């Protein structure tokens, strides 16, 4: 099976480059999902499209081995890109203005497809059931058309029941800080809970000559930002890792009128549920206090985040399989978790598993830029490493 995976290299590169040239945002992943579903069906998997009760954009392929017994293992890849203008001068650069696969989801999708093809071609040699999950909207969230909650693709698909009966789940993420040919795993915490917030402060417009008749949304914004900076400095346990940053502020329409409305957005990242709850409560409390003090009002919406927490036994399985693929010296046990966020944490909250970092950096090839940057790229030799790791986890875990 591992030799078969090696033979897929050119096919995987072609798939990855095609997806890279045609990136899609959040839940608008119809082209990618169609390619995925078509290939899975061609290889003999049972395929369900339109997965997710809220947005219906996920794809799940199911495959059973011919041997008796075995566990149910879920393997997940994300399909969405980022609103970033690509600056790479490559033949397969993004053809969509302002959109780019700057986080490697094109590679994740290609590798999971490679694992599906390999396992389908050798189903007589393994037991159990594999669910190949291709999810949209890992990079963000949109309000649900059903209940208004801000939902990422992982949460939408989980609510469709994709985790029912699953014994173990795994996801790969390419990681440019690690050299190509290495695999990294955290013993417990891999990533922080990354939560997004949007605050609307509503005032009352007016002329600059009569400020007493208006409620200035810009003044409210300044007071709110100052209050939240104070919350992070004094309202969060200093022994806990946590960070909050504002990303956008939109207020006002003309130079000589008092703004009646301001919209502020940002993210905060922490690990413990208690710290996440404390920051969430503080965002509400200070918005209410500022609104009351100025005579305005507020609305606050969240995309709730959750930490990515690996299971101890699953980590041991990754170490064993990773060492078999790249060698024990290149199977790295990582210490400090990342403050980046990943909605695979919602999977790991319900099913034991692990989030695995696949080294993709190559200084000799000039591949050194980090994730979410306009010149991000990866050493494509790692595509077969990822396929072989997933295949080994499935077969070794049965």
């Amino acid at each position: 099976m591992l030799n078969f995976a090696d033979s897929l290299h050119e096919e995987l590169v072609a798939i990855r480059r095609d997806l890279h040239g045609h990136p899609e945002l959040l839940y608008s992943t119809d082209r990618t999902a169609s390619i995925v579903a078509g290939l899975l069906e061609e290889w003999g998997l049972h395929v369900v499209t339109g997965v997710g009760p809220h947005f219906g954009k996920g794809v799940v392929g199911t495959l059973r081995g011919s041997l008796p017994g075995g566990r149910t293992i879920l393997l997940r890849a994300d399909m969405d890109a980022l609103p970033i203008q690509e600056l790479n001068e490559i033949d397969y650069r993004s053809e969509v203005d302002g959109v780019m696969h700057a986080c490697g989801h094109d590679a994740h999708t290609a590798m999971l497809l490679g694992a599906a093809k390999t396992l389908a071609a050798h189903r007589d040699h393994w037991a159990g059931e594999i669910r190949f999950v291709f999810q949209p909207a890992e990079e963000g969230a949109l309000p649900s058309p059903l209940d208004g909650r801000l939902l990422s693709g992982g949460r939408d698909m989980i609510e469709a029941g994709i985790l029912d009966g699953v014994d173990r789940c795994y996801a790969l993420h390419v990681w440019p800080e690690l050299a190509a040919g290495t695999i990294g795993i955290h013993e417990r915490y891999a990533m922080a809970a990354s939560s997004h917030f949007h605050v609307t402060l509503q005032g009352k417009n007016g002329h600059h000559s009569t400020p007493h008749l208006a409620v200035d949304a810009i003044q409210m914004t300044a007071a709110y930002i100052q209050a939240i900076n104070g919350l992070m400095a004094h309202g969060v346990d200093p022994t806990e890792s946590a960070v909050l940053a504002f990303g956008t502020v939109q207020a006002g329409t003309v130079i000589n009128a008092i703004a009646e409305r301001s919209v502020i957005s940002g993210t905060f990242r922490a690990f413990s549920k208690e710290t996440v709850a404390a920051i969430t409560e503080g965002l509400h409390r200070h918005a209410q206090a500022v609104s009351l003090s100025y005579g305005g009002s507020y609305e606050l919406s969240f995309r709730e985040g959750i930490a990515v927490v690996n299971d101890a036994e699953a980590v041991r399985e990754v170490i064993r399989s990773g060492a078999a693929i790249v060698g024990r010296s290149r199977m790295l046990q990582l210490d400090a978790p990342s403050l980046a966020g990943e909605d695979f944490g919602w999977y790991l909250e319900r099913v034991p598993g692990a989030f695995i970092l696949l080294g993709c950096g190559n200084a000799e090839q000039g591949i050194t830029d980090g994730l979410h940057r306009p010149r991000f790229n990866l050493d494509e030799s790692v595509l077969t490493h990822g396929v072989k790791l997933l295949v080994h986890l499935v077969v070794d875990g049965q």
Side-chain angles (χ1 to χ4, degrees):
M1 278 186 268
L2 300 183
N3 289 337
F4 182 88
D6 276 327
S7 75
L8 298 178
H9 176 70
E10 290 186 5
E11 182 177 356
L12 297 177
V13 168
I15 292 171
R16 183 254 166 169
R17 292 186 176 188
D18 176 68
L19 298 178
H20 190 90
H22 302 88
E24 298 173 301
L25 294 173
L26 292 174
Y27 289 101
S28 299
T29 52
D30 291 345
R31 181 184 185 275
T32 304
S34 177
I35 291 171
V36 166
L39 289 172
L40 295 178
E41 289 172 350
E42 178 184 329
W43 300 330
L45 281 76
H46 175 263
V47 180
V48 179
T49 59
V51 179
H54 299 268
F55 294 93
K57 296 293 186 177
V59 179
V60 178
T62 304
L63 187 66
R64 286 204 61 85
S66 298
L67 299 180
R71 298 188 295 182
T72 297
I73 297 177
L74 182 149
L75 306 175
R76 174 274 216 169
D78 31 24
M79 299 187 291
D80 58 321
L82 285 157
I84 294 175
Q85 181 66 47
E86 181 162 15
L87 298 181
N88 287 315
E89 296 297 332
I90 50 180
D91 293 339
Y92 53 93
R93 67 177 291 166
S94 172
E95 297 179 16
V96 183
D97 190 45
V99 183
M100 176 194 175
H101 269 297
C103 200
H105 296 187
D106 49 348
H108 302 167
T109 298
M111 289 186 288
L112 189 53
L113 286 170
K117 185 171 186 177
T118 301
L119 289 164
H122 299 85
R123 68 176 70 196
D124 291 342
H125 299 282
W126 54 274
E129 176 180 302
I130 313 303
R131 292 182 196 168
F132 301 88
V133 171
F134 297 83
Q135 76 158 73
E138 188 282 319
E139 294 292 358
L142 290 176
S144 164
L146 300 181
D147 56 26
R149 286 180 297 150
L150 281 172
L151 289 178
S152 66
R155 296 188 70 185
D156 189 17
M157 295 187 72
I158 288 170
E159 291 190 17
I162 62 168
L163 295 179
D164 294 349
V166 173
D167 299 303
R168 188 76 90 230
C169 61
Y170 297 102
L172 290 178
H173 202 300
V174 292
W175 207 251
E177 285 80 7
L178 300 179
T182 62
I183 297 169
I185 188 73
H186 291 87
E187 182 178 357
R188 183 159 172 75
Y189 283 103
M191 286 189 175
S194 175
S195 298
H196 298 190
F197 61 89
H198 300 266
V199 185
T200 300
L201 298 173
Q202 186 66 47
K204 181 180 179 182
N205 63 7
H207 197 275
H208 278 185
S209 65
T210 54
H212 59 294
L213 300 178
V215 176
D216 193 332
I218 292 178
Q219 292 289 339
M220 293 169 67
T221 298
Y224 184 69
I225 290 174
Q226 185 176 14
I228 297 304
N229 286 336
L231 166 72
M232 296 304 296
H234 302 288
V236 175
D237 185 342
T239 65
E240 293 282 339
S241 295
V243 62
L244 181 149
F246 296 97
T248 67
V249 176
Q250 299 170 340
T253 56
V254 294
I255 194 172
N256 59 349
I258 291 172
E260 67 174 348
R261 184 171 180 268
S262 173
V263 180
I264 314 163
S265 70
T267 71
F268 65 90
R269 300 152 194 272
F271 291 96
S272 74
K273 291 184 177 181
E274 293 76 14
T275 301
V276 171
I279 296 172
T280 300
E281 189 277 332
L283 286 165
H284 275 290
R285 175 163 39 87
H286 287 294
Q288 183 180 49
V290 167
S291 297
L292 287 173
S293 65
Y294 280 85
S297 61
Y298 82 97
E299 293 181 359
L300 183 57
S301 62
F302 286 95
R303 186 203 81 170
E304 183 183 359
I306 188 169
V308 179
V309 185
N310 289 335
D311 172 77
E313 180 57 34
V315 167
R316 286 190 284 271
E317 292 174 359
V318 171
I319 293 172
R320 185 167 60 245
S321 290
I325 301 304
V326 298
R328 187 63 187 87
S329 65
R330 299 178 72 78
M331 179 64 239
L332 310 176
Q333 293 178 254
L334 307 175
D335 295 323
S338 170
L339 278 168
E342 238 284 354
D343 77 348
F344 193 64
W346 295 107
Y347 295 70
L348 294 174
E349 182 189 41
R350 293 161 175 80
V351 175
F355 187 73
I356 309 159
L357 303 184
L358 182 66
C360 69
N362 189 322
E364 292 182 359
Q365 295 181 15
I367 300 174
T368 58
D369 278 54
L371 301 172
H372 292 214
R373 296 181 183 176
R375 297 189 188 276
F376 168 76
N377 206 346
L378 56 92
D379 182 340
E380 291 175 323
S381 69
V382 308
L383 297 176
T384 51
H385 292 159
V387 172
K388 290 192 285 187
L389 176 61
L390 293 174
V391 168
H392 199 286
L393 282 168
V394 166
V395 177
D396 191 54
Q398 300 292 9

